């Protein structure tokens, strides 16, 4: 069986760094999003209002003037009305897909005590010339100077982020042979035919490890199960297809292995709180008019979210 070569302990030139998006916006209504995923790293600065992160049974809140860096895993984010959130999503990982820092716990930090984070973020925002939404996939640099300036500001912010992680005990990941099953499992899942049902037994047999051992190592390495990782791949692929193609939704569902449109719609809505058709309309509107989709327009829906967040606060 072919083994993946771990990155060198000193060769940081192998690192993959990418800024996915920057959003700096005022949320007039409550929002609930699947903001924490497997692949990318989110970070939020709460400028005003508050933000609540829910990951399993864990509930953590950040108020105005605080940064939040979530631990590895999947979760949901709730924001209160009239909250202004500066949101980053980025990648900082080795070529094998492993994040540089193992994020074992969620950090909520006072921005005043970590001015380098806010200063680097402000430089990046200044370079965006007031844009409230910036997406790497939609960015067309005006020149080489513009491109390198953007990368310079982003890497300055990454340096501040790395210092925060190391000051708070986040261990730097250095691959070794014990990580090989998890790394090979990720590669197999990246190559997995999304139209075929997932089987832990087939994956375990393919990698030559027991099913429990594979699940345990994969979860420790990536903060999710192999099935959860594959589900996230399917979701991201479906979102991309809906946003960037004119393919019929029924055809997209078939490409993902769903037997009918209703089954796909229920699966998509459960993970996005929005139907595939509405998501496509939102994506089209956002790309043409740069507006925001607000799924919680009705007062009743707003009250339900506020009640749920209040209940979560009571449980803490």
């Amino acid at each position: 069986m072919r083994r993946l070569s771990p990155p060198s302990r000193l060769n940081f030139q192998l690192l993959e760094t990418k800024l996915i998006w920057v959003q700096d916006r005022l949320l007039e209504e409550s929002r609930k999003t699947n903001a924490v995923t497997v692949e990318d790293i989110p970070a939020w600065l709460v400028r005003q209002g508050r933000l609540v992160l829910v990951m399993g049974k864990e509930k953590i809140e950040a108020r105005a003037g605080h940064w939040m860096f979530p631990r590895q895993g999947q979760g949901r984010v709730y924001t209160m009305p009239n909250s202004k959130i500066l949101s980053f999503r980025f990648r900082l990982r080795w070529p094998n897909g492993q994040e540089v820092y193992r994020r074992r716990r969620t950090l909520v930090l006072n921005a005043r005590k970590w001015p380098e984070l806010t200063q680097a973020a402000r430089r990046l925002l200044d370079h965006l010339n007031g844009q409230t939404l910036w997406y790497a996939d939609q960015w067309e640099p005006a020149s080489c100077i513009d491109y390198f300036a953007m990368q310079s500001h982003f890497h300055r912010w990454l340096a501040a982020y790395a210092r925060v992680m190391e000051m708070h005990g986040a261990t730097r990941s250095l691959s070794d042979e014990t990580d090989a099953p998890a790394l090979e499992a990720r590669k197999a899942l990246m190559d997995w035919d999304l139209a075929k049902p997932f089987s832990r037994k087939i994956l375990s047999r393919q990698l030559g490890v027991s099913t429990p051992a594979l699940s345990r190592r994969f979860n420790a390495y990536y903060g999710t199960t192999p099935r959860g990782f594959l589900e996230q791949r399917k979701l991201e692929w479906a979102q991309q297809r809906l946003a960037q193609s004119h393919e019929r939704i029924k055809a997209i569902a078939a490409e993902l292995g769903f037997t009918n449109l209703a089954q796909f719609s229920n699966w998509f809505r459960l993970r996005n709180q929005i139907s595939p058709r509405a998501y496509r309309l939102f994506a089209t509107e956002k790309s043409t008019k740069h507006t925001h989709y607000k799924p919680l327009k009705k007062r009743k829906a707003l009250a339900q979210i506020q009640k749920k967040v209040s209940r979560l606060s009571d449980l803490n």
Side-chain angles (χ1 to χ4, degrees):
M1 183 182 299
R2 185 179 65 86
R3 290 294 182 185
L4 298 178
S5 299
S8 165
R9 289 175 176 266
L10 298 177
N11 192 1
F12 292 103
Q13 296 182 49
L14 293 175
L15 291 178
E16 177 190 354
T17 61
K18 181 179 180 181
L19 183 60
I20 307 298
W21 79 50
V22 180
Q23 300 184 24
D24 186 24
R25 53 183 176 168
L26 177 66
L27 305 176
E28 298 177 353
E29 300 180 0
S30 290
R31 295 178 65 92
K32 172 186 174 184
T33 60
N34 297 323
V36 187
T37 62
V38 178
E39 286 291 288
D40 302 325
I41 305 173
W44 304 289
L45 172 62
V46 183
R47 293 179 177 272
Q48 68 181 54
R50 63 191 178 109
L51 173 152
V52 177
L53 171 67
V54 179
M55 300 184 74
K57 296 182 179 180
E58 181 184 53
K59 188 273 300 181
I60 298 180
E61 178 178 312
R63 294 182 178 271
H66 287 78
W67 283 94
M68 178 183 282
F69 300 94
R71 64 175 175 83
Q72 287 173 306
Q74 293 179 299
R76 301 182 187 277
V77 168
Y78 300 81
T79 55
M80 294 298 96
N82 298 316
S83 294
K84 189 170 185 179
I85 310 294
L86 170 59
S87 173
F88 287 94
R89 189 172 293 271
F90 60 98
R91 291 175 188 165
L92 176 58
R93 61 192 186 187
W94 299 107
N96 57 29
Q98 182 184 8
E99 286 188 21
V100 173
Y101 294 102
R102 298 182 186 273
R103 295 176 288 123
R104 303 292 191 185
R105 60 192 178 97
T106 297
L107 299 178
V108 178
L109 308 175
N110 190 322
R112 292 183 178 180
K113 295 183 179 180
W114 298 91
E116 60 267 46
L117 275 173
T118 307
Q119 291 170 3
R122 187 174 294 117
R123 287 174 179 266
L124 194 56
L125 290 175
D126 290 343
H127 186 75
L128 298 180
N129 296 321
Q131 294 183 58
T132 58
L133 286 172
W134 181 92
Y135 294 91
D137 293 342
Q138 300 176 8
W139 180 47
E140 295 182 0
S143 64
C144 284
I145 296 175
D146 184 29
Y147 174 80
F148 288 123
M150 185 68 176
Q151 295 302 313
S152 174
H153 294 314
F154 172 51
H155 283 95
R156 183 186 297 271
W157 191 85
L158 277 182
Y161 168 79
R163 180 171 181 270
V164 166
M165 291 294 104
E166 297 192 9
M167 290 291 289
H168 286 83
T171 57
R172 195 165 61 231
S173 60
L174 298 169
S175 298
D176 54 36
E177 286 301 312
T178 62
D179 298 323
L183 298 176
E184 292 180 3
R186 180 186 182 276
K187 183 180 184 303
L189 292 171
M190 292 300 292
D191 295 334
W192 196 278
D193 185 350
L194 297 180
K196 295 182 178 179
F198 173 71
S199 171
R200 290 193 306 166
K201 291 184 178 180
I202 292 177
L203 182 61
S204 299
R205 187 163 56 248
Q206 178 182 340
L207 299 177
V209 297
S210 68
T211 300
L214 175 61
S215 297
R216 183 174 61 255
R217 293 180 183 181
F218 195 92
N219 187 66
Y221 209 68
Y222 293 109
T224 187
T225 63
R227 185 182 299 276
F229 184 93
L230 191 62
E231 285 285 292
Q232 184 63 32
R233 269 203 67 215
K234 291 177 67 173
L235 179 61
E236 292 174 354
W237 190 90
Q239 291 172 336
Q240 181 179 1
R241 292 284 283 156
L242 289 168
Q244 300 179 7
S245 77
H246 299 287
E247 192 79 29
R248 295 177 59 189
I249 297 179
K250 186 176 181 180
I252 295 176
E255 291 172 358
L256 287 172
F258 292 94
T259 57
N260 56 65
L261 180 57
Q263 185 186 35
F264 171 67
S265 295
N266 291 335
W267 174 86
F268 191 89
R269 186 189 294 274
L270 181 64
R271 289 156 179 78
N272 277 318
Q273 291 77 53
I274 181 176
S275 70
R277 188 178 303 278
Y279 183 90
R280 169 169 277 177
L281 291 173
F282 160 54
T284 302
E285 182 181 2
K286 183 176 68 174
S287 62
T288 56
K289 298 182 180 180
H290 301 287
T291 57
H292 308 297
Y293 176 75
K294 299 178 181 179
L296 303 178
K297 292 182 178 180
K298 297 182 180 179
R299 293 183 178 180
K300 182 177 180 181
L302 176 59
Q304 289 175 345
I305 290 298
Q306 291 174 330
K307 183 178 179 180
K308 181 175 291 187
V309 174
S310 177
R311 190 184 306 120
L312 288 169
S313 299
D314 294 338
L315 291 175
N316 188 34

